[in-house]
Amino acid sequence: MAADKRKRGALPAGKGKRARTGPSAAEAEAAPAGAPQEYSIPPPVCQGKWKNKERVLIFSSRGINFRTRHLMQDLRTLMPHSKADTKMDRKDQLFVINEVCEMKNCNKCIFFEAKKKQDLYMWLSNTPQGPSAKFLVQNVHTLAELKMTGNCLRGSRPLLSFDPIFDKEPHYALLKELFIQIFSTPQYHPKSQPFVDHVFTFTVTDERIWFRNYQIIEEDASLVEIGPRFVLNLIKIFQGSFGGPTLYENPHYQSPNMHRRLLRLSVAAKFREKQHVKEVQKEKKKASKVLVKEDPTEVVFDTPAEEKPVEIQLVKPESKPIVKDKKKLRKIQRKKQKKLFRTES
């Protein structure tokens, strides 16, 4: 019979794996010259203990487009402490996500929700107690675009850079702590690398949060954008995970439906204005023309022309012969001159 199969990497019974240790000074002197020497295994790069066990679940609902799918994949690539899951059905309630995070052993979640196949919403939540925030995602650009020329080590830990306004407003301070816990890679994570070569920036401009990812170049400490890039428009902050009492509501937020409605109304207003101008022009053409009275001052600067005496011509003018050929005309003139010369002689 064939030998018993054993798992890959397993050792036979009764044999244990032991690390090679370097020979001591006495052993090295006692060992013969031709005997093979044993070398010690170098210690790992990081000997620390993985204490901050943050795990982030990144997944989406059904109905997302290709750009959202690429953005989700880029975030999974940049965050080694993230996990993936299948798409969630639209009919399911958002509270189900807490159970999915519990099954996946995740305590943070990034959920992309698509509506009308054109509007993208992002949920950032601390499961299962909360809080959670809902954003409208705009101006998405992925890693695969040619404008992003930077590059970083896969699995490296990022630096997080925040705008000073995150320390002034209370709702921004809450979002800052949420961003730190979600986007920062835990120290000594098994899938992470002990390098820091890129930085995540969160900037507040025009009542929106702008996310950028830059590579740190060692030569001159300049920054080159890696991607992805997107803009987060805050909608609400909830006390619980994916629901609960509202802690903050953005007064400057305008829904995409309202934005599209205002655009349609502006186009319709321009069309109505053009139609009104045409109707006014037609009414002006149909209206009777008002006769303007004669102005007596019009003839003030008119100067009368000089009167010339009338001359009456009694002799009929001689008719000139119509000759097309110039040579014939010259011959006729010569003949007339000869006749006149003869008569005079």
Side-chain angles (χ1 to χ4, degrees):
M1 295 180 64
D4 295 337
K5 295 183 178 179
R6 58 187 177 86
K7 294 183 180 179
R8 182 180 296 176
L11 295 174
K15 293 184 178 181
K17 186 177 181 181
R18 59 182 181 180
R20 296 179 180 179
T21 58
S24 61
E27 293 177 356
E29 293 177 357
Q37 297 181 358
E38 293 185 357
Y39 298 96
S40 61
I41 300 173
V45 177
C46 56
Q47 297 179 346
K49 190 176 181 181
W50 178 30
K51 297 180 180 179
N52 180 20
K53 297 190 177 182
E54 295 282 354
R55 299 181 182 90
V56 183
L57 180 64
I58 303 176
F59 72 117
S60 67
S61 65
R62 296 191 181 275
I64 61 173
N65 54 10
F66 72 97
R67 190 176 291 273
T68 307
R69 187 173 65 253
H70 291 176
L71 173 64
M72 186 170 57
Q73 189 62 36
D74 294 344
L75 290 179
R76 290 173 182 170
T77 304
L78 293 173
M79 300 165 63
H81 61 293
S82 64
K83 290 187 177 182
D85 195 21
T86 57
K87 295 179 181 178
M88 195 180 74
D89 196 0
R90 296 180 185 177
K91 297 180 181 179
D92 295 340
Q93 298 293 329
L94 295 178
F95 296 102
V96 182
I97 302 176
N98 295 325
E99 300 178 2
V100 177
C101 293
E102 186 178 357
M103 289 188 294
K104 289 285 184 178
N105 196 16
C106 296
N107 51 4
K108 299 291 185 297
C109 180
I110 299 178
F111 178 67
F112 292 94
E113 185 181 7
K115 292 184 179 179
K116 295 187 176 181
K117 295 185 178 181
Q118 55 183 347
D119 301 332
L120 178 63
Y121 298 91
M122 178 191 287
W123 286 83
L124 300 180
S125 176
N126 180 22
T127 58
Q129 285 83 15
S132 60
K134 184 179 181 181
F135 301 91
L136 174 67
V137 185
Q138 299 171 332
N139 303 334
V140 177
H141 297 277
T142 59
L143 274 169
E145 296 187 10
L146 296 177
K147 290 185 289 186
M148 313 298 181
T149 57
N151 192 10
C152 66
L153 181 67
R154 185 185 180 94
S156 60
R157 301 181 64 216
L159 294 175
L160 299 184
S161 173
F162 290 93
D163 196 273
I165 198 173
F166 278 95
D167 298 327
K168 298 178 182 178
E169 301 292 336
H171 60 281
Y172 281 131
L174 178 60
L175 291 178
K176 178 181 178 181
E177 184 63 28
L178 194 60
F179 288 148
I180 290 174
Q181 295 183 13
I182 290 178
F183 288 97
S184 62
T185 303
Q187 193 175 11
Y188 306 124
H189 191 275
K191 293 183 180 180
S192 66
Q193 300 290 339
F195 301 100
V196 177
D197 58 352
H198 63 112
V199 54
F200 292 158
T201 62
F202 298 89
T203 310
V204 178
T205 306
D206 194 19
E207 305 296 335
R208 291 170 175 82
I209 300 174
W210 299 63
F211 175 85
R212 295 291 184 271
N213 181 22
Y214 296 100
Q215 177 192 0
I216 303 173
I217 300 178
E218 297 180 359
E219 286 77 8
D220 53 354
S222 61
L223 300 178
V224 180
E225 188 169 0
I226 304 173
R229 58 159 67 173
F230 52 88
V231 179
L232 299 177
N233 191 359
L234 178 62
I235 302 174
K236 285 183 180 181
I237 300 176
F238 300 96
Q239 184 177 355
S241 178
F242 296 97
T246 303
L247 298 179
Y248 176 78
E249 184 174 359
N250 188 7
H252 306 283
Y253 171 71
Q254 188 182 66
S255 65
N257 293 333
M258 180 60 67
H259 180 67
R260 288 190 286 267
R261 180 174 177 271
L262 293 177
L263 290 179
R264 290 195 299 268
L265 289 176
S266 63
V267 173
K270 289 181 180 179
F271 179 75
R272 284 196 299 269
E273 186 178 357
K274 289 182 180 179
Q275 292 296 112
H276 180 66
V277 171
K278 288 182 180 179
E279 291 176 359
V280 171
Q281 291 177 352
K282 286 181 181 180
E283 290 179 358
K284 285 183 178 180
K285 291 180 180 178
K286 291 180 181 179
S288 59
K289 296 181 180 180
V290 180
L291 297 176
V292 182
K293 297 180 179 180
E294 294 182 358
D295 190 4
T297 60
E298 285 184 355
V299 295
V300 171
F301 298 100
D302 292 346
T303 54
E306 296 180 359
E307 294 183 359
K308 295 182 179 180
V310 180
E311 295 181 357
I312 299 172
Q313 189 175 1
L314 301 176
V315 182
K316 182 180 178 181
E318 295 181 358
S319 60
K320 296 181 180 179
I322 301 172
V323 182
K324 295 182 179 179
D325 194 358
K326 294 182 179 180
K327 292 182 179 180
K328 289 184 180 181
L329 179 61
R330 292 173 183 173
K331 287 180 181 180
I332 294 171
Q333 291 177 355
R334 288 173 186 173
K335 287 180 181 181
K336 288 182 178 180
Q337 289 177 359
K338 287 179 181 179
K339 286 181 181 180
L340 290 173
F341 181 74
R342 286 174 186 175
T343 53
E344 289 178 356
S345 61

